[in-house]
Amino acid sequence: MHAVGIVAAAGSGLRLGAELPKALVPLGGRPLVCWAVESLRAGGVEQVVVAVPASQQAAFTAVLPGDVHVVVGGDTRTASVRAALATAREHASDQERTAVLVHDAARPLTPPDVVARVLAALAGGARAVVPVLPVVDTTVVVDADGVVTADVPRAPLRRVQTPQGFERATLMAAYAHAHGTAAEFTDDASVVRAAGIPVQTVAGDERAAKITVAHDLRMAELQTERPR
Ligand code: C5P
């Protein structure tokens, strides 16, 4: 199965408090986006498209390998993936079933095994698949004053990571379906589910954690200092 990777890297990284866009922030001396591209490739992805902030196109092109396609992202993650998807469609061969794996640049230490598990599920016939982890904390609902109003049984809950994998035609159709709706999506599996398509799961990995705040970056730095 031909596999195309999309890396969403057009976020600002305000919560990280960095002056650079988050995906250009260095980890172990290399920008986060380079780690994410490398994970996808090591896991079996052949072609990679990266969505970047419009103002930073040159900076991204300078650090990414020459065969990575750079496109301008949008105001939301969904808009960024939509822009990259249009490019992925032009580049992919129509001869065989194509997988599209959408990955956050903010998950630099994702082990290639996670990528391979997602690809294997797609090769096995899944139309959409996400890596997940169990929820280990007690989970509650609070009201506007921060008072707990309900406990949420955690056994059926999962935290969803990336890369999220899709049969290309399924993802294209789901994005077309979502176009013009007011719904806000935080990932691609939600876009696909909104189109009524079932989403399967495979095991995620704690090392695929998303870097959001400065503490996350410090934890990732510690991991890169040790053998992985
Ligand atoms: O903001 P958050 O950490 O949830 O973003 C997840 C990923 O989506 C990041 O890798 C970020 O660069 C990307 N993103 C994007 N375009 C946006 C907003 C976020 O590609 N407009």
Side-chain angles (χ1 to χ4, degrees):
M1 200 173 181
H2 179 73
V4 178
I6 289 176
V7 177
S12 63
L14 282 181
R15 288 168 293 180
L16 194 58
E19 287 175 7
L20 294 167
K22 179 161 65 177
L24 288 179
V25 168
L27 167 67
R30 277 190 309 145
L32 296 184
V33 67
C34 296
W35 290 85
V37 168
E38 207 165 281
S39 286
L40 286 176
R41 287 181 155 169
V45 167
E46 291 134 310
Q47 172 200 339
V48 182
V49 182
V50 180
V52 308
S55 60
Q56 301 284 337
Q57 237 181 316
F60 275 85
T61 305
V63 297
L64 284 165
D67 56 350
V68 167
H69 200 89
V70 173
V71 301
V72 173
D75 289 343
T76 62
R77 187 184 182 286
T78 306
S80 296
V81 173
R82 189 187 294 282
L85 197 51
T87 305
R89 179 181 50 187
E90 285 161 21
H91 281 239
S93 147
D94 286 327
Q95 306 304 312
E96 55 181 329
R97 228 171 127 235
T98 298
V100 176
L101 267 63
V102 187
H103 194 30
D104 290 332
R107 299 181 187 273
L109 300 183
T110 303
D113 283 1
V114 177
V115 179
R117 281 198 287 277
V118 170
L119 279 175
L122 292 170
R127 295 172 69 194
V129 58
V130 293
V132 296
L133 289 174
V135 172
V136 293
D137 292 316
T138 295
T139 304
V140 297
V141 179
V142 296
D143 66 16
D145 298 321
V147 176
V148 174
T149 55
D151 298 304
V152 182
R154 71 183 175 194
L157 297 182
R158 298 290 182 273
R159 292 177 286 142
V160 180
Q161 301 185 311
T162 75
Q164 302 187 349
F166 308 92
E167 189 187 30
R168 186 187 63 178
T170 298
L171 190 59
M172 301 284 299
Y175 264 83
H177 181 268
H179 203 51
T181 67
E184 284 196 18
F185 301 102
T186 55
D187 73 349
D188 305 284
S190 328
V191 176
V192 163
R193 273 186 25 85
I197 296 147
V199 176
Q200 296 189 21
T201 62
V202 293
D205 192 299
E206 293 293 354
R207 290 168 290 182
K210 188 164 76 166
I211 292 183
T212 305
V213 296
H215 170 78
D216 303 332
L217 190 59
R218 282 199 292 276
M219 296 303 287
E221 288 284 3
L222 287 176
Q223 282 187 57
T224 60
E225 285 162 15
R226 290 197 298 261
R228 287 167 71 193

